[in-house]
């Protein structure tokens, strides 16, 4: 298809498509004449992935480039490729250098993940994000207990194992797997967050007899 | 205590405390002379609540005023008071007027909440937030099934019932109850989100033998 049809089918405006082509996020089409290139289903899939990272994951363009490089480099195994997407979704808090409280929280997180037996890379940004959450809770006078953390960890694992990772099309095109992971992680995270507030309201009504 | 000590104990700078006093978010101290006022533990508690809403909940100042009014008006029952905090934490998506897809999603959400038997107010902003999430998933080509939604709803209810609402000090001062609700909802929501990404990474490693 021509660029105009690619735009119509993807809903992405032509100037934006040209920007992605220039930035190397979208592979060039097949040049059929000096002024004309042909695009195919792989381009549509790639545009879906870029849109998912940008609009659903709110991943900055520089980080999208890293994810796309992992998708395009077939020597990057699928687990590592999915990991780059995961890591791009993280909020990457600034670790407070020399802050003992923070260093202790980070050690607690590493020990917890080891105790759970989870296969999580040493550089996973979730380790720092979790440490920061623990420091914030402690500073607000509501330190999390080990039992609390285990409940949330186990809940997360049940969802990941029984409901989330099964949605990923591991044997399809590489960009489709990454796209599904990003959409699943972000959108069901949003749904879970809203359901928690609704459930709390319902429980408040029940406890207080409202 | 004097305003300087209130500032030292709360960590809130004096000009900020004066701003809260002018805006009516913090009650005036007891005037002990023309230039001097005394503050007590209730002021410290209120500053903690404002900080939790602002920094943890990222609630805008106008919405904080609404929450504080509910806290101060003893005729507002505790359930309604907690509800104003809950509603202030919502992202309040713009409902797409006249959009049939959106209206249908909103009906699905209302039916789901009724089927679950949850006691959720008709104006709870979570209804719109959830409808928007469903529309986004469908537009991205990954519509949520009824079974999917039930899993997330049930997971959220288990957390709210068994682990979250029990932390709220219902019989303590009103602002302490709201503060705990906000911190619990936001910070454990953050922890759950991070645990989900870590669990997904661990499952990816297991499935792909990495």
């Amino acid at each position: 298809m021509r660029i105009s049809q690619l735009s119509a089918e993807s809903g992405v405006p032509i100037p934006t498509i040209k920007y992605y082509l220039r930035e190397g996020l979208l592979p060039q089409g097949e040049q059929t004449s000096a002024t004309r290139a042909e695009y195919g289903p792989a381009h549509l899939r790639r545009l879906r992935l870029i849109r998912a990272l940008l609009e659903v994951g709110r991943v900055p363009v520089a980080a999208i480039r890293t994810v796309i490089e992992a998708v395009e480099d077939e020597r990057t195994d699928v687990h590592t490729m999915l990991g780059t997407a995961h890591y791009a979704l993280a909020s990457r808090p600034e670790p407070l250098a020399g802050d003992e409280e923070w260093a202790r929280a980070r050690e607690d997180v590493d020990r917890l993940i080891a105790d759970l037996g989870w296969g999580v890379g040493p550089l996973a940004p979730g380790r720092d994000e979790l440490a920061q959450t623990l420091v914030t809770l402690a500073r607000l006078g509501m330190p999390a207990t080990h039992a609390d953390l285990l409940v949330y960890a186990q809940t997360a694992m049940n969802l990941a194992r029984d409901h989330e990772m099964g949605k990923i099309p591991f044997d399809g095109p590489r960009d489709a797997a990454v796209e599904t992971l990003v959409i699943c992680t972000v959108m069901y995270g949003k749904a879970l967050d809203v359901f928690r507030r609704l459930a709390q309201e319902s429980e408040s009504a029940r406890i207080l007899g409202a």
Side-chain angles (χ1 to χ4, degrees), chain A residues 1-29 39 43-44 47 50:
Chain A
M1 70 189 100
R2 299 196 55 177
I3 196 167
S4 53
Q5 202 190 337
L6 183 64
S7 168
E9 296 235 350
S10 64
V12 178
I14 293 179
T16 308
I17 293 179
K18 288 188 172 166
Y19 168 70
Y20 293 155
L21 287 166
R22 273 198 312 275
E23 291 288 313
L25 299 180
L26 187 67
Q28 300 294 328
Y39 299 91
H43 294 92
L44 262 178
L47 283 175
I50 295 172

Side-chain angles (χ1 to χ4, degrees), chain A residues 28-162:
Chain A
Q28 300 294 328
E30 195 191 337
Q31 210 70 31
T32 52
S33 79
T35 57
R36 189 171 161 164
E38 271 292 303
Y39 299 91
H43 294 92
L44 262 178
R45 247 191 339 261
R46 176 61 53 83
L47 283 175
R48 285 174 57 105
L49 172 57
I50 295 172
R51 190 175 63 162
L53 286 164
L54 208 58
E55 291 171 20
V56 177
R58 304 201 184 280
V59 175
V61 170
I64 291 182
R65 183 186 312 282
T66 313
V67 177
I68 299 282
E69 279 165 9
V71 169
E72 291 193 339
D73 184 352
E74 300 273 346
R75 290 165 307 175
T76 307
D77 63 84
V78 175
H79 176 66
T80 306
M81 175 184 78
L82 295 178
T84 61
H86 257 136
Y87 292 5
L89 292 175
S91 61
R92 297 199 172 274
E94 287 281 323
L96 308 167
D99 183 313
E100 270 186 44
E101 195 185 3
W102 193 90
R104 219 167 28 242
R106 176 56 207 258
E107 278 171 30
D108 288 347
V109 168
D110 290 344
R111 200 172 318 110
L112 176 70
I113 291 174
D115 288 351
L116 288 163
W118 289 8
V120 168
L123 298 178
R127 294 176 185 267
D128 279 354
E129 291 179 277
L130 203 50
Q132 201 188 43
T133 305
L134 297 187
V135 169
T136 304
L137 277 167
R139 288 192 180 160
L140 291 166
M142 292 186 54
T145 66
H146 190 68
D148 280 335
L149 294 178
L150 283 182
V151 165
Y152 286 84
Q154 204 51 62
T155 300
M157 181 50 92
N158 290 346
L159 290 174
R161 192 187 50 219
D162 301 338

